Amino acid sequence: MTIIVAVPGTTEGPVALRAGVEEAKALGTDLVAVNLGIATLDVSEVEGEVPITVVERTGRGDRDPVDAVLDEIDERGATRLVIAVRRRSLVSKAVLGSVSQRLILNSPIPVLAVKSD
């Protein structure tokens, strides 16, 4: 049993990571953090709480973030996906795609969506 957490390079990232750690602790399993940001993911704040594997992407030229997460779900036989979501305006919804929305709709496993302040 593995938990996957999608960690964006935005203010939602730490929220998602913390929720992923708590879910992995509750289920007694390991955590795979898929870094959706460009900078290297720092997990030092939560290291030691659960076994964490970080999957880094090489930047904007790397595969689509949703595909990266879905690939990790398939490769690792994950049982749950953790993401952080935030309120978006109507314009934002119309103009920009939402990684969180696409993950919720396309994930083959249950998704725990936590609200970011």
Side-chain angles (χ1 to χ4, degrees):
M1 177 183 320
T2 297
I3 305 294
I4 302 278
V5 59
V7 185
T10 61
T11 57
E12 291 82 21
V15 174
L17 184 58
R18 171 55 51 201
V21 167
E22 293 304 318
E23 191 71 6
K25 282 174 26 179
L27 296 174
T29 190
D30 61 316
L31 180 68
V32 175
V34 181
N35 184 10
L36 303 182
I38 295 173
T40 302
L41 181 61
D42 178 18
V43 296
S44 61
E45 189 175 306
V46 295
E47 249 175 347
E49 294 187 41
V50 295
I52 300 176
T53 302
V54 177
V55 176
E56 297 284 355
R57 295 176 62 242
T58 59
R60 295 192 190 281
D62 200 344
R63 61 198 160 155
D64 177 73
V66 173
D67 290 339
V69 173
L70 296 176
D71 288 348
E72 290 301 320
I73 289 171
D74 287 341
E75 288 175 23
R76 297 179 187 270
T79 55
R80 185 155 310 151
L81 171 62
V82 178
I83 62 172
V85 295
R86 65 182 160 117
R87 184 174 298 277
R88 295 174 55 217
S89 69
L90 291 175
V91 173
S92 173
K93 289 178 186 176
V95 176
L96 302 171
S98 166
V99 170
S100 298
Q101 181 178 352
R102 290 173 50 209
L103 285 171
I104 290 169
L105 294 174
N106 294 307
S107 177
I109 58 176
V111 179
L112 171 61
V114 294
K115 186 176 171 183
S116 175
D117 291 335

